[in-house]
Amino acid sequence: MFRTALRNVLAHKARLLMTVLAVMLGVAFVSGTLVFTNTISDAYQKSSAKGFDQVDVAVRPEYPADKGDTVAKEQKLTQPLFDKAAKVPGAASAIGVVNGFTAIADKDGKLIGGGFQSQGGNYWGGKDPRYPLTSGHAPQGKGEVAIDAETAKRAGYKVGDTVRLSVDGPVLTPTVSGIFTTDDGNVAAGGSLALFDTATAQKLFHSVGSYDEIDVKAAAGTSQTALRDALDAVVPKDVASTTTGRQLADDQAAQISSAMSGMKTGLLVFAGIALFVGTFIIANTFTMLVAQRTKELALLRAVGASRRQVTRSVLLEAFVVGAAAAVAGLAAGIGIGAGMRSLMGSLGATVPDGPLVISPGTIATALLVGILITMLAAWLPGRRAAKIPPVAAMSSVHAKATTKSLVVRNTIGALFAAAGVAVVLYATTMDGSDGQAPMGLGAVLLILGVFVLTPLLSRPLIAAAAPVLRVFGVSGKLARQNSVRNPRRTAATASALMIGLTLITGMTVMAGSLQKSIDKMASSALKADYVVSMANGNSLSPDVEKKLASVDGVTDISSLRDAPSRIDQQTEYLTGVNGRSITKLTDLTIADGAFTVGGTRTVVDKDTAKAHGWQAGSDFTVSYEDGKKGKLTVAGVYEGNEMIHGIIVDNATLSPHRTDTASDMQVMVKTSSGASDATKNKLEKALGDNPAVKVQDKKDISDGIAQMFTLMLNMLYGLLAMAVIVAVLGVINTLAMSVFERSQEIGMLRAIGLDRKGIKRMVRLESLVISLFGGVLGIGLGVFFGWAAGELLGSKMSTYELVLPWARMGIFLLLAATVGVLAALWPARRAARLNMLTAIKSE
């Protein structure tokens, strides 16, 4: 039976090619994802591990939890504590570490690095072992800075140049005193690092006289563990904790691995979709191959082969096909992984150097996935073939599905679809994340139900195309009849395309609706002309508000300052605003009371008020972060949104109790001339044309979010393109095998007068009808899922509004038609070139 299975594979090489390609693409996606993520993770881990070469034990501040009415304060590593740590037995040297955000501009004034990867710190003394200087000298005083070699190379800076940079808003213009090399992972990933002398760094990063970390180097013969024990004896446990350099490296490796797992999971989901679509092709292929060999299988049964042997023979064929596809897919995946890494570099996302990582797990996964998927898809056709009695197979009595089998299939499909719709509708009544799992389950049930029902759905939907097909005469009529002749085959072919279009349409509906909702939120919640914030989301210096307030034409201004507090034994963040201007800068809907902020009067969003049982006129006691208590009165309850929510307090009331004066999250500005390019330029110039600070009007905010959605959608479209390509292969495969099956019929049609053009037109129209059938189902399901997911989001976003992207859905339908036309090119040409006499004589 093994030799028989192998001969069958070799005899049907051309017909199995598309199946091999479908499996190969799915496996390539899986193995490429694993190679890429493992390579990047390994490179970052090795790069970060180098950063701990100078650290044997790190002393870090403790972050105690809030308790009772007390807001816990971050502990400080003071100079006396540093002196103690540097003198413990077994310590060779110690370095006080200061760090924070520092944005460096290039010579064109543009931000270097990715914002979040723009870091600053301190250079320790005259020669810091962490940062070997390649030129210049250590920075001294606030007028000098040292920058990393990669940043200097990218921006063209050299020692003696003046560089523009920012820590929290105002522009600084120090001179480059030195250029250094570093193993910092952020720099290796395309970020930047600026170093000041320790006193300047402490002042800039708001930690005067204290450190963010103390790194201690062990003396010769002292182990990291022994040094840590010695430090534990002098470091108060409620102030700081100690960790060995080895443990820091391990923790960093675990964090990198965890960060990469999200990307890996996301990419593998799309690989799974491609493999799922490929399963339809494999099942279709083996179903047709088995159907073409029923007499051969019947003969094997007649000469003594058992049902198990017949099933095993089909599975052996699937194993050979799956193994070949898996090996090819693994090779392609290695290439994809290397290509993705190179692509990141070309897009400006620098990755640390390192070898391509092809782990045994990646190889095993690729082979296992390819072989298992193929064998599972081929099992049902093989089992069905084995159950056909030899006499029935010889006379082809089995060929048509019985009424009973179709009734059973339609009943099962209807139950699955109904259950899926019910679960999805139930999920839409739930709140936010609570409804995600039920909605996912409902979506799976509905897709399975529709797949099972597609043979039933194909007849009425394809019949609806009959009036159009009549225009093409005999070719059109034959195409319609061929499309519904074998509903199961048509359904399996169309379903592959349906899956991809369902996901594409659903995500497009969601993205468009979210964009519309955010536009609505920005326009309805804000009266301010501009919102000023840091490019990386960090806090702004209070100097920013002062500089903007002095600009000619600014009529109202307010910073938004966050500060922790304790209310009813819970931590609540207070948002400080300018009480006199806030009503002129925002337009929030009041549900109860009045929007009055000043003195002890505050306004609270609806969710917070409900959680504490407050209403307009309610009094509550607040414990501020400085430990003092106060009594506030709820003047009004408003409808919060993603932009503005929580407890809003007057800055005059809040600021005296804040321990950190530099935490303005953003500044809202209203001008007499309104939003215009001239006004925006005036505000930017007042801040020194700082690349680290964003000055955005409502349109800029909306466009920024739209750009994010567009980038996300384009990435998803690119990933889902793999599933669509696999679906195209399925259409080609089905048509090609269908042409082979109908060789005698095509020969007869040629003999009675249908020319080659007519044959080509018939096959093309058949492909077009099947593809449009899958497209209509996919777009319909995608709209339903997009609406349902929107209902779930609407429970958390009051401005959510369903938007149907008619133009894009039209493009998707056109894409389905294009798939049908392109997929039919080779099968149609093959059908037209059949020799009519040879075809008529074929069985």
Side-chain angles (χ1 to χ4, degrees):
M1 293 303 291
F2 176 76
R3 287 197 300 272
T4 303
L6 192 57
R7 286 195 188 107
N8 280 321
V9 171
L10 296 174
H12 301 120
K13 293 190 293 291
R15 279 174 271 174
L16 288 169
L17 178 61
M18 296 299 170
T19 300
V20 170
L21 283 173
V23 179
M24 185 196 78
L25 285 173
V27 171
F29 207 159
V30 171
S31 53
T33 295
L34 295 174
V35 168
F36 171 67
T37 52
N38 288 343
T39 298
I40 299 299
S41 180
D42 182 71
Y44 274 117
Q45 285 175 11
K46 287 180 178 176
S47 176
S48 65
K50 289 179 183 177
F52 295 112
D53 288 347
Q54 300 298 324
V55 183
D56 285 319
V57 179
V59 181
R60 292 179 168 179
E62 280 291 309
Y63 295 86
D66 298 338
K67 292 181 181 179
D69 292 332
T70 305
V71 177
K73 298 177 184 177
E74 178 189 343
Q75 299 299 310
K76 298 289 185 181
L77 303 181
T78 59
Q79 186 64 40
L81 181 62
F82 172 85
D83 294 337
K84 284 183 182 179
K87 295 175 182 177
V88 297
S93 61
I95 294 174
V97 179
V98 183
N99 51 47
F101 170 75
T102 302
I104 304 177
D106 61 20
K107 292 184 176 181
D108 295 325
K110 294 180 180 178
L111 181 66
I112 298 174
F116 290 96
Q117 295 172 330
S118 301
Q119 300 296 315
N122 68 313
Y123 192 94
W124 188 254
K127 188 176 182 181
D128 193 325
R130 300 171 299 169
Y131 309 114
L133 288 168
T134 58
S135 61
H137 62 268
Q140 298 172 4
K142 63 180 182 180
E144 291 187 343
V145 66
I147 61 174
D148 68 271
E150 288 296 323
T151 297
K153 182 180 178 182
R154 288 199 299 269
Y157 285 126
K158 59 184 185 295
V159 174
D161 287 346
T162 298
V163 61
R164 295 173 68 248
L165 52 84
S166 173
V167 171
D168 57 5
V171 173
L172 305 174
T173 54
T175 301
V176 177
S177 68
I179 294 173
F180 59 88
T181 59
T182 176
D183 293 319
D184 189 295
N186 284 321
V187 173
S192 62
L193 180 61
L195 300 178
F196 308 89
D197 68 68
T198 300
T200 302
Q202 287 177 329
K203 185 177 180 181
L204 288 174
F205 302 132
H206 310 288
S207 54
V208 177
S210 63
Y211 303 97
D212 295 302
E213 182 175 313
I214 300 171
D215 293 340
V216 185
K217 186 75 174 171
T222 303
S223 67
Q224 291 187 352
T225 306
L227 179 59
R228 184 190 62 193
D229 292 342
L231 285 165
D232 284 340
V234 299
V235 174
K237 295 190 183 305
D238 60 337
V239 173
S241 60
T242 57
T243 311
T244 63
R246 192 176 298 108
Q247 183 61 49
L248 287 173
D250 291 343
D251 291 345
Q252 184 80 354
Q255 288 176 12
I256 292 169
S257 181
S258 176
M260 293 301 297
S261 68
M263 180 191 294
K264 183 186 293 186
T265 301
L267 291 172
L268 287 176
V269 165
F270 289 97
I273 292 168
L275 285 169
F276 182 62
V277 172
T279 303
F280 292 108
I281 301 174
I282 301 164
N284 232 5
T285 302
F286 278 93
T287 299
M288 295 172 77
L289 283 175
V290 168
Q292 292 167 14
R293 289 163 41 209
T294 49
K295 290 186 179 181
E296 174 192 327
L297 294 173
L299 185 60
L300 287 172
R301 291 287 312 281
V303 297
S306 66
R307 288 184 177 183
R308 284 187 179 180
Q309 285 178 311
V310 170
T311 304
R312 203 176 298 138
S313 172
V314 176
L315 289 177
L316 280 171
E317 290 179 44
F319 174 81
V320 173
V321 170
V327 171
L330 175 61
I334 293 170
I336 289 172
M340 287 174 72
R341 176 175 171 170
S342 299
L343 179 63
M344 285 187 71
S346 66
L347 294 175
T350 311
V351 178
D353 292 331
L356 202 65
V357 178
I358 307 165
S359 67
T362 299
I363 297 171
T365 300
L367 295 176
L368 195 64
V369 165
I371 293 169
L372 272 183
I373 289 289
T374 310
M375 292 184 71
L376 284 172
W379 174 76
L380 191 59
R383 185 171 175 272
R384 192 185 297 135
K387 291 175 71 176
I388 301 170
V391 176
M394 296 292 280
S395 59
S396 298
V397 173
H398 69 288
K400 293 185 180 179
T402 63
T403 303
K404 180 182 176 182
S405 67
L406 290 174
V407 169
V408 170
R409 178 182 179 124
N410 293 338
T411 302
I412 293 172
L415 289 173
F416 268 93
V421 170
V423 174
V424 168
L425 291 177
Y426 170 70
T428 61
T429 64
M430 303 174 75
D431 284 336
S433 57
D434 293 340
Q436 290 178 5
M439 186 163 289
L441 174 62
V444 171
L445 289 173
L446 180 54
I447 288 175
L448 288 174
V450 171
F451 167 64
V452 175
L453 283 174
T454 38
L456 179 66
L457 297 172
S458 64
R459 289 187 177 276
L461 287 176
I462 291 175
V468 179
L469 293 174
R470 285 198 195 101
V471 175
F472 298 95
V474 175
S475 297
K477 184 177 180 180
L478 290 171
R480 185 183 67 80
Q481 291 174 346
N482 290 334
S483 300
V484 295
R485 178 188 295 182
N486 192 330
R488 288 182 175 178
R489 185 189 304 164
T490 298
T493 307
S495 294
L497 192 58
M498 178 191 78
I499 299 295
L501 285 179
T502 295
L503 294 167
I504 289 173
T505 305
M507 287 186 296
T508 303
V509 170
M510 281 184 62
S513 300
L514 281 169
Q515 178 61 46
K516 178 73 173 178
S517 305
I518 290 165
D519 287 348
K520 192 175 176 182
M521 185 190 302
S523 61
S524 63
L526 288 178
K527 287 182 184 176
D529 295 320
Y530 294 98
V531 175
V532 180
S533 60
M534 290 292 284
N536 70 330
N538 274 13
S539 57
L540 288 160
S541 166
D543 290 343
V544 171
E545 183 183 10
K546 293 175 185 176
K547 287 189 176 184
L548 292 173
S550 64
V551 174
D552 183 40
V554 172
T555 57
D556 293 284
I557 189 168
S558 175
S559 62
L560 268 66
R561 297 174 180 171
D562 284 348
S565 71
R566 294 287 286 177
I567 301 171
D568 296 338
Q569 306 290 306
Q570 297 177 28
T571 299
E572 293 280 4
Y573 274 82
L574 306 177
T575 301
V577 299
N578 182 335
R580 295 187 303 275
S581 300
I582 192 63
T583 54
K584 299 174 185 176
L585 298 167
T586 60
D587 189 16
L588 299 169
T589 303
I590 293 295
D592 184 22
F595 200 96
T596 306
V597 179
T600 60
R601 290 171 297 174
T602 180
V603 290
V604 184
D605 73 293
K606 209 171 181 178
D607 291 340
T608 304
K610 183 179 178 182
H612 289 280
W614 296 336
Q615 58 186 5
S618 297
D619 294 327
F620 61 92
T621 301
V622 57
S623 296
Y624 297 103
E625 60 179 322
D626 64 354
K628 296 180 181 179
K629 293 185 178 182
K631 185 165 282 190
L632 298 176
T633 301
V634 178
V637 177
Y638 66 94
E639 297 280 355
N641 55 51
E642 280 66 28
M643 297 181 69
I644 302 173
H645 55 86
I647 304 170
I648 298 177
V649 183
D650 194 346
N651 272 330
T653 303
L654 180 64
S655 295
H657 300 290
R658 296 171 72 223
T659 58
D660 181 6
T661 57
S663 58
D664 290 357
M665 297 313 296
Q666 59 186 36
V667 178
M668 294 187 289
V669 180
K670 191 169 183 64
T671 62
S672 56
S673 57
S676 67
D677 291 340
T679 304
K680 184 176 181 179
N681 289 336
K682 191 189 295 184
L683 295 176
E684 288 176 340
K685 285 190 180 301
L687 297 174
D689 289 323
N690 194 330
V693 177
K694 295 187 295 184
V695 179
Q696 296 177 295
D697 59 20
K698 293 177 187 178
K699 188 177 182 303
D700 292 332
I701 294 171
S702 180
D703 289 347
I705 296 167
Q707 187 177 13
M708 181 181 68
F709 278 127
T710 301
L711 178 64
M712 179 188 72
L713 267 182
N714 288 339
M715 288 175 61
L716 294 175
Y717 288 161
L719 293 169
L720 285 171
M722 182 71 73
V724 175
I725 292 170
V726 173
V728 173
L729 294 177
V731 179
I732 297 172
N733 206 29
T734 300
L735 287 173
M737 296 184 76
S738 178
V739 166
F740 178 83
E741 270 187 3
R742 291 165 16 217
S743 295
Q744 191 176 54
E745 175 190 318
I746 292 170
M748 287 295 294
L749 289 171
R750 289 289 316 282
I752 62 175
L754 190 62
D755 60 9
R756 289 186 174 182
K757 285 186 178 178
I759 294 292
K760 283 183 178 180
R761 192 180 300 119
M762 177 187 73
V763 176
R764 287 171 185 163
L765 288 172
E766 182 183 345
S767 174
L768 183 63
V769 167
I770 292 172
S771 296
L772 285 175
F773 169 55
V776 169
L777 284 180
I779 291 171
L781 281 174
V783 169
F784 176 71
F785 289 138
W787 165 82
E791 289 294 302
L792 205 60
L793 286 170
S795 64
K796 295 292 183 183
M797 186 180 288
S798 59
T799 56
Y800 185 84
E801 178 184 337
L802 179 67
V803 175
L804 293 180
W806 294 107
R808 289 209 177 190
M809 289 194 291
I811 292 172
F812 296 156
L813 199 59
L814 185 62
L815 172 66
T818 305
V819 164
V821 172
L822 294 177
L825 290 177
W826 178 63
R829 186 167 178 271
R830 188 174 184 275
R833 294 182 66 183
L834 284 174
N835 183 289
M836 67 178 78
L837 294 178
T838 305
I840 290 171
K841 288 190 294 182
S842 67
E843 294 187 4

